[in-house]
Amino acid sequence: MKIAVDAMGGDYAPLEIVFGAVRAAKKYECEIVLVGDEPAIRKVLEHEPDWEKLGISIVHASQVIGMDEHPADAVRTKKDASVVVATRLVKDGICDAVLSAGSTGAAVTAAQLILRRIKGIGRPTIATPMPTPKGVTLLLDSGANVDSKPVHLVQSGLMGSLYAQYVFGVKEPRVGLLNIGEEETKGNEQAKATYQLLKNMHTIRFAGNAEGRDVPKGNFDVVICDGFVGNVVLKFAEGLAKTILKLIKEAVKNGGLFAKLGALLLMPTLKKLGKRLDVTEYGGAPLLGVNGCVIISHGSSNAKSICSAIGVAVDYVKGDVLAHIRDSLAKEEILTNDGEKN
Amino acid sequence: MKIAVDAMGGDYAPLEIVFGAVRAAKKYECEIVLVGDEPAIRKVLEHEPDWEKLGISIVHASQVIGMDEHPADAVRTKKDASVVVATRLVKDGICDAVLSAGSTGAAVTAAQLILRRIKGIGRPTIATPMPTPKGVTLLLDSGANVDSKPVHLVQSGLMGSLYAQYVFGVKEPRVGLLNIGEEETKGNEQAKATYQLLKNMHTIRFAGNAEGRDVPKGNFDVVICDGFVGNVVLKFAEGLAKTILKLIKEAVKNGGLFAKLGALLLMPTLKKLGKRLDVTEYGGAPLLGVNGCVIISHGSSNAKSICSAIGVAVDYVKGDVLAHIRDSLAKEEILTNDGEKN
């Protein structure tokens, strides 16, 4: 198995990306192709003289797509951008998966233009794994599309369910529709129409509407929503977690000796808990719906999260998620037809 | 000042509602009219023999609207429901404000049917105050309407801004549009169209798009969004906070002696922090856009939050928010016209 990694994408690229790749090469049974500015990558690899023996190789790419560039324009004009070259390696059958922590828009656009959508899928979606007390909840779409039609949400549900099944090993994943109430009649036009389509599907286990509070509680394995809502919710969660942590730190700092001692004693326990809830333990969110395994990592990814994300790619390929999506689409006839029209 | 309180609405009604009213009567300069089943209310008031001297009175209402009833049907058929009678007290000029912790849908419907919308306002919205490290952020709409038109979101912005100004005392509140990116071109059709309207307003300080993470960080004083998104985000926050707390408690419980001692030492500091972030400190969210002060409280409200919510009603009336909304609508000509069409 060979994973193409965009070595130039991300806030700490190429340093953390390359170190993450080295970690992953030691941890997983896969080869890694680092794509980007060869001299810069080689410079980082000087710290790991045995990199070639680990199964790491370099493919040079002379350009980089910045976070502030218009994704579609950049992908079309920068033919030698690292994310474009890396995605093409999958298209050409040289690699089995591609991973980028650079501009999400650019990675999604490159995937759509180069790998193309799976036949029958109207829009690819980003599936973000969220740690919960009960395991992992997959939230999709978390930002690839807005103003999605109900059929797109249903296709997300199907793909997310297969992903949870074949990558996380969840038997019959409970799929929920993010909504503002439990009842079938609740929600906006999009949610109400989506509910009716989900009710009639036979390839997934639709478990009804999921309210906002059900997501962090882990009451569903897969939660589907429009990319606008998914993106807002994920960024909100990120902001809330950071804010709480910051406030606790400040409170301890200003809290006198007892508070400081208490924090010290409690630290190992909280660290263990933090690890359990740490999103970097997953490191990457798959883009589902294109012909190839594409993993999107957070811009702030460090070596640890890149390594985890490569693990996600390995699991995705091993789980043969693509074949399962294609098989299931063939079984849901209405969906396939609607999907092509949309 | 007289506040009508729906004594029968809420998970712990009438007990906690009545106790909350007693607290408020002692704390604020206002009279309170408890509306609901008189014998039941009198029974609770036995614990406070001096209730009449505190300025508390009772208006009997023989019916109650349950959480599972269809709001519009229930309000129309149950003419003697506590929330209906309480709202009518405001319509008739007997009370200055009404408060309910019962079915939100019923309270909103009663307000719309009995008090009517302010001339020019297309849809009333619920404005939920969220504690942040920088103070309070008002999130609206938090669930009164879904599929809102851009003009409704803009009206929310105007009303929220006035509320922040005259109730929270924020000079020139920063109003943000909840969106998936900072740039003007980001978002779904609704957000993009709303941005264009907001840009041209002269009665509010539009500070651009707010991303999900900006809300808990307190980067804006007022954040506007569709009720679908607002409701999902608020319930998500509630679920996340509860989940984190539960996990910390479990971790401490299973964490050995040091962890337990640490938690004990840290407790006073965390409690102080918790108080600062406690939503029950606000207790109630105003329904903006109807001809009267309507405060919606959480179904799980206890005496403390009901008392705070009555405080919110007092501030609302003192701030003369209604008059300010009417004045500002008159100044934003385009808005008023569009509002009436919608």
Side-chain angles (χ1 to χ4, degrees):
Chain A
M1 196 188 302
K2 253 188 184 167
I3 316 284
V5 174
D6 170 11
M8 312 310 285
D11 303 345
Y12 310 111
L15 195 75
E16 293 287 329
I17 314 297
V18 173
F19 282 154
V22 169
R23 273 201 197 201
K26 290 175 182 171
K27 190 169 175 184
Y28 305 109
E29 276 177 43
C30 67
E31 291 176 36
I32 289 168
V33 180
L34 290 167
V35 182
D37 182 55
E38 185 161 354
I41 297 170
R42 278 192 182 272
K43 192 150 179 57
V44 182
L45 284 172
E46 276 171 15
H47 298 270
E48 190 69 36
D50 281 344
W51 57 272
E52 275 169 307
K53 280 185 209 151
L54 287 171
I56 294 176
S57 56
I58 303 173
V59 166
H60 180 67
S62 62
Q63 295 171 302
V64 179
I65 295 179
M67 297 301 278
D68 49 347
E69 291 186 62
H70 188 276
D73 293 348
V75 169
R76 280 199 183 91
T77 53
K78 290 186 164 175
K79 299 282 178 204
D80 205 35
S82 54
V83 68
V84 173
V85 174
T87 307
R88 220 182 290 129
L89 289 175
V90 176
K91 169 74 179 173
D92 296 343
I94 297 164
C95 288
D96 301 286
V98 53
L99 182 156
S100 178
S103 155
T104 299
V108 171
T109 308
Q112 294 216 61
L113 291 179
I114 298 167
L115 300 175
R116 301 276 165 188
R117 278 178 280 143
I118 294 173
K119 194 172 165 349
I121 292 293
R123 294 179 175 191
T125 73
I126 300 175
T128 299
M130 300 188 72
T132 78
K134 295 180 188 164
V136 189
T137 294
L138 204 61
L139 184 78
L140 69 173
D141 173 28
S142 62
N145 299 291
V146 295
D147 294 318
S148 292
K149 299 209 172 92
V151 69
H152 301 140
L153 297 193
V154 170
Q155 292 176 345
S156 288
L158 179 72
M159 295 192 288
S161 177
L162 292 166
Y163 189 85
Q165 191 176 344
Y166 292 103
V167 175
F168 297 149
V170 181
K171 240 175 135 174
E172 295 188 36
R174 293 154 304 169
V175 177
L177 174 66
L178 194 58
N179 206 334
I180 60 172
E182 280 178 28
E183 305 83 357
E184 192 171 332
T185 53
K186 288 271 172 142
N188 54 15
E189 293 306 322
Q190 186 197 51
K192 283 190 275 190
T194 307
Y195 193 105
Q196 294 310 317
L197 292 177
L198 286 167
K199 248 184 26 180
N200 296 318
M201 285 181 73
H202 44 84
T203 48
I204 64 168
R205 178 179 164 202
F206 177 49
N209 286 333
E211 292 194 75
R213 66 175 77 92
D214 291 314
V215 184
K217 287 185 178 173
N219 293 341
F220 293 82
D221 302 299
V222 176
V223 173
I224 51 180
C225 62
D226 184 83
F228 187 90
V229 182
N231 183 282
V232 165
V233 162
L234 277 176
K235 286 187 183 156
F236 182 89
E238 191 191 312
L240 186 62
K242 275 191 190 160
T243 303
I244 292 177
L245 203 69
K246 191 179 142 207
L247 288 173
I248 292 180
K249 278 185 186 161
E250 275 176 18
V252 168
K253 208 177 140 194
N254 305 324
L257 193 66
F258 281 167
K260 285 192 188 72
L261 183 63
L264 207 66
L265 289 169
L266 202 55
M267 199 54 79
T269 305
L270 291 183
K271 275 207 174 142
K272 225 160 76 186
L273 179 62
K275 197 175 145 67
R276 202 173 134 197
L277 295 179
D278 187 359
V279 284
T280 66
E281 294 288 316
Y282 300 96
L287 176 75
L288 300 175
V290 290
N291 289 300
C293 169
V294 177
I295 306 294
I296 313 276
S297 285
H298 201 289
S300 67
S301 293
N302 56 17
K304 187 184 152 200
S305 27
I306 292 297
C307 173
S308 310
I310 294 172
V312 171
V314 171
D315 290 344
Y316 183 116
V317 176
K318 270 193 194 156
D320 210 359
V321 176
L322 270 180
H324 291 298
I325 291 175
R326 288 191 191 109
D327 284 358
S328 290
L329 277 173
K331 278 183 217 151
E332 292 275 4
E333 206 183 319
I334 310 157
L335 250 195
T336 319
N337 295 341
D338 281 359
E340 290 197 298
K341 265 187 275 162
N342 281 284
Chain B
M1 197 187 302
K2 253 189 184 167
I3 316 283
V5 175
D6 170 11
M8 312 311 284
D11 303 345
Y12 310 110
L15 196 74
E16 294 287 330
I17 313 296
V18 174
F19 283 154
V22 169
R23 271 200 198 204
K26 291 175 182 170
K27 190 170 175 182
Y28 306 108
E29 276 177 44
C30 67
E31 291 177 35
I32 290 168
V33 181
L34 289 167
V35 182
D37 183 56
E38 184 160 355
I41 297 170
R42 277 191 182 273
K43 192 149 180 59
V44 183
L45 284 171
E46 278 171 14
H47 298 272
E48 190 70 35
D50 281 344
W51 58 272
E52 275 168 307
K53 281 186 208 149
L54 287 171
I56 294 175
S57 57
I58 303 174
V59 167
H60 180 68
S62 63
Q63 295 172 303
V64 179
I65 295 179
M67 297 301 278
D68 49 347
E69 292 187 63
H70 188 276
D73 293 349
V75 169
R76 282 199 182 89
T77 54
K78 291 187 165 175
K79 299 282 180 206
D80 205 36
S82 54
V83 68
V84 172
V85 174
T87 307
R88 221 183 290 130
L89 290 174
V90 176
K91 168 74 180 172
D92 296 342
I94 296 164
C95 288
D96 302 286
V98 53
L99 182 155
S100 178
S103 156
T104 299
V108 171
T109 307
Q112 295 216 60
L113 290 179
I114 298 167
L115 301 175
R116 299 279 166 186
R117 278 178 280 141
I118 295 173
K119 193 171 163 354
I121 291 293
R123 295 178 175 190
T125 73
I126 300 174
T128 300
M130 300 188 72
T132 77
K134 296 180 188 165
V136 190
T137 294
L138 204 63
L139 184 77
L140 70 173
D141 173 28
S142 62
N145 299 290
V146 295
D147 294 319
S148 292
K149 299 209 174 92
V151 70
H152 302 139
L153 297 193
V154 171
Q155 292 176 346
S156 290
L158 179 72
M159 295 192 288
S161 177
L162 292 166
Y163 189 85
Q165 192 176 344
Y166 292 102
V167 175
F168 296 150
V170 181
K171 239 175 136 174
E172 295 188 35
R174 292 155 303 169
V175 178
L177 173 67
L178 194 58
N179 206 334
I180 60 171
E182 281 178 27
E183 305 83 357
E184 190 171 333
T185 52
K186 287 273 171 141
N188 55 15
E189 293 306 322
Q190 187 196 50
K192 282 189 277 190
T194 307
Y195 193 105
Q196 294 310 315
L197 293 177
L198 287 168
K199 246 182 28 177
N200 297 318
M201 285 182 73
H202 45 82
T203 49
I204 63 168
R205 177 179 165 201
F206 177 50
N209 287 331
E211 291 193 75
R213 65 174 79 90
D214 290 315
V215 184
K217 287 185 179 174
N219 292 341
F220 293 83
D221 301 300
V222 176
V223 173
I224 51 180
C225 61
D226 185 82
F228 187 90
V229 182
N231 183 283
V232 166
V233 162
L234 276 175
K235 286 187 183 156
F236 182 89
E238 191 190 313
L240 186 62
K242 275 192 190 158
T243 303
I244 291 177
L245 203 70
K246 192 179 142 208
L247 287 173
I248 292 180
K249 277 185 185 160
E250 275 176 19
V252 168
K253 208 177 141 195
N254 304 324
L257 193 64
F258 280 167
K260 284 193 188 74
L261 183 62
L264 207 66
L265 289 169
L266 202 53
M267 200 54 80
T269 305
L270 290 184
K271 273 206 173 141
K272 225 160 74 185
L273 178 62
K275 197 174 145 68
R276 202 173 133 195
L277 296 179
D278 187 359
V279 285
T280 65
E281 293 288 317
Y282 300 96
L287 177 73
L288 300 175
V290 290
N291 289 302
C293 169
V294 178
I295 306 292
I296 313 275
S297 284
H298 201 289
S300 67
S301 291
N302 58 16
K304 186 183 153 200
S305 26
I306 292 296
C307 173
S308 309
I310 293 172
V312 171
V314 170
D315 290 343
Y316 183 115
V317 176
K318 270 194 193 156
D320 209 359
V321 177
L322 269 180
H324 291 299
I325 291 176
R326 288 192 191 109
D327 284 357
S328 291
L329 277 173
K331 279 183 216 149
E332 292 275 3
E333 207 183 317
I334 311 158
L335 251 194
T336 319
N337 294 341
D338 280 359
E340 291 197 297
K341 267 188 274 165
N342 282 285

